[in-house]
Amino acid sequence: MPGLQQLRQRITTVRSTQKMTRAMHLVSTQRLRTTRAAIEATRPYSKRLDDLLRQICQRMPAVAEQLPLIRGTGREDVHLLVVFTTDRGLCGAMNGNVVRMVKERIARLEQHGRTARLLCVGRKGRKLLEREHGARIIATLEHGAHHKIGFHHAVPIAERILEHYAEQAFDVCCQYYARFRTILHQPPKAQQLIPTRFSSLYSEGVEQAAVARGGVAVPIYEPGEREALTRLLPHHITAQIYRALLENAASEEGARVAATDRATRNAGELIRKLSLAYNRQRQSAITREIIEIVSGVEARHRG
């Protein structure tokens, strides 16, 4: 059984840990609030860009199918999986869930005789994947020093992907990240980046209704639709990566808020138990000393 000094040391250590987890909880809460605000701010821009590209692809399908980012290579032999995880720990099972989805995807690709290559964004993803799939990892990009995610952080990732695609190093590219729902729920999400796929912007009923009201306004693009798509498609891929970075950052901070809250409460419970054990031992020691003093006084009187 630990003595009084050991119990005091443990209580001091646990209190220091509790202060640290409480501070991390406050910091993560503020970062989560900032990241969620950034996600909300990017939604109108992302929606307008998606609508613009869908509209051009719908009205000029022949032009769209001529572009490599939409047409693809015509094969599905090599798949590049971009895995977004964190550089730091203490964020629950978030990284494990993303990596589990990636491993399941690799297994399905192998069953069909296809090849998977991995681009890891975050150290934790590489650590979880390198034992079984280390030979598939082509690069690892770290982002732990970025306390505030900006669009410029997505540019190098997009450039790396587009460079490998131009070199015909892969046929299909998908990104995997944790999508933020709540601080207790960050489900993994898969999204195909290349070849880019757009659903129809307008349904047939909406088109007919617009025509009935006086026709559909057809925008004119300068210098042309092909040039607009050529310039906007890489930007669209970068925007999707930026959205994945934000979602992953929000999921990381949300998971860390929950983890640090549990750690703080557990530390408080442990301090309570250790304090109870310390007080019991201290009371027992005081009682023993009193008994020894009384016994000594009684023995002196008898003598």
Side-chain angles (χ1 to χ4, degrees):
M1 189 173 184
L4 289 175
Q5 185 176 359
Q6 291 176 325
L7 285 173
R8 281 198 299 268
Q9 291 176 348
R10 288 192 63 187
I11 291 173
T12 301
T13 302
V14 175
R15 280 178 177 165
S16 298
T17 303
Q18 187 183 43
K19 290 179 182 179
M20 180 185 67
T21 55
R22 185 180 290 116
M24 291 179 65
H25 177 81
L26 295 175
V27 172
S28 296
T29 301
Q30 179 59 38
R31 288 181 179 174
L32 174 60
R33 189 179 297 113
T34 302
T35 307
R36 291 187 67 181
I39 294 175
E40 293 294 332
T42 58
R43 282 178 179 171
Y45 176 80
S46 297
K47 183 178 183 302
R48 186 69 188 93
L49 180 61
D50 289 345
D51 290 347
L52 176 63
L53 291 173
R54 290 193 192 102
Q55 188 180 50
I56 298 176
C57 291
Q58 181 196 23
R59 298 191 180 280
M60 301 292 177
V63 174
E65 288 300 324
Q66 293 176 0
L67 301 178
L69 290 178
I70 295 179
R71 182 184 69 247
T73 62
R75 304 181 304 273
E76 295 185 1
D77 298 332
V78 182
H79 289 244
L80 177 64
L81 311 182
V82 186
V83 186
F84 290 86
T85 54
T86 66
D87 285 334
R88 299 175 296 167
L90 199 61
C91 51
M94 175 192 130
N95 292 322
N97 293 335
V98 174
V99 170
R100 188 177 302 111
M101 174 181 277
V102 171
K103 288 182 177 180
E104 292 173 356
R105 179 59 177 168
I106 293 174
R108 289 196 300 269
L109 290 173
E110 288 180 342
Q111 290 176 356
H112 292 85
R114 294 168 182 168
T115 303
R117 295 178 180 175
L118 303 174
L119 175 61
C120 297
V121 183
R123 287 196 301 266
K124 291 297 181 180
R126 183 182 184 90
K127 289 181 179 179
L128 293 172
L129 287 166
E130 62 183 356
R131 178 175 297 180
E132 298 180 28
H133 305 287
R136 304 178 188 275
I137 300 175
I138 61 175
T140 301
L141 304 177
E142 299 180 6
H143 53 84
H146 305 154
H147 297 308
K148 185 176 181 181
I149 300 296
F151 190 83
H152 59 282
H153 295 133
V155 173
I157 304 174
E159 289 178 348
R160 178 73 66 91
I161 294 172
L162 293 172
E163 179 183 347
H164 286 302
Y165 187 67
E167 296 171 353
Q168 298 184 354
F170 64 88
D171 302 313
V172 180
C173 177
C174 294
Q175 63 179 4
Y176 294 80
Y177 60 94
R179 187 174 185 180
F180 180 79
R181 293 298 188 187
T182 66
I183 60 174
L184 298 177
H185 186 48
Q186 304 92 26
K189 178 180 174 61
Q191 181 185 22
Q192 180 171 313
L193 295 177
I194 302 174
T196 306
R197 293 288 180 263
F198 296 108
S199 59
S200 177
L201 177 63
Y202 301 112
S203 65
E204 183 178 355
V206 174
E207 286 279 5
Q208 293 176 352
V211 171
R213 290 195 302 267
V216 179
V218 180
I220 299 175
Y221 299 93
E222 292 292 343
E225 288 80 2
R226 181 185 179 87
E227 182 67 21
L229 284 175
T230 302
R231 294 188 179 185
L232 288 177
L233 283 173
H235 184 74
H236 178 261
I237 292 174
T238 307
Q240 297 302 316
I241 294 173
Y242 175 51
R243 181 63 181 268
L245 282 173
L246 287 177
E247 291 280 356
N248 209 66
S251 298
E252 176 184 359
E253 299 303 339
R256 188 168 289 120
V257 166
T260 52
D261 181 63
R262 288 193 299 267
T264 302
R265 287 188 281 108
N266 291 339
E269 181 64 20
L270 183 56
I271 290 172
R272 188 188 68 80
K273 292 180 179 179
L274 290 173
S275 298
L276 183 60
Y278 174 82
N279 291 333
R280 284 177 177 173
Q281 284 201 31
R282 184 169 178 272
Q283 186 63 41
S284 177
I286 292 173
T287 303
R288 186 167 56 252
E289 290 177 2
I290 292 174
I291 291 174
E292 290 175 356
I293 294 172
V294 172
S295 300
V297 172
E298 289 179 352
R300 187 179 304 166
H301 284 315
R302 291 195 194 98

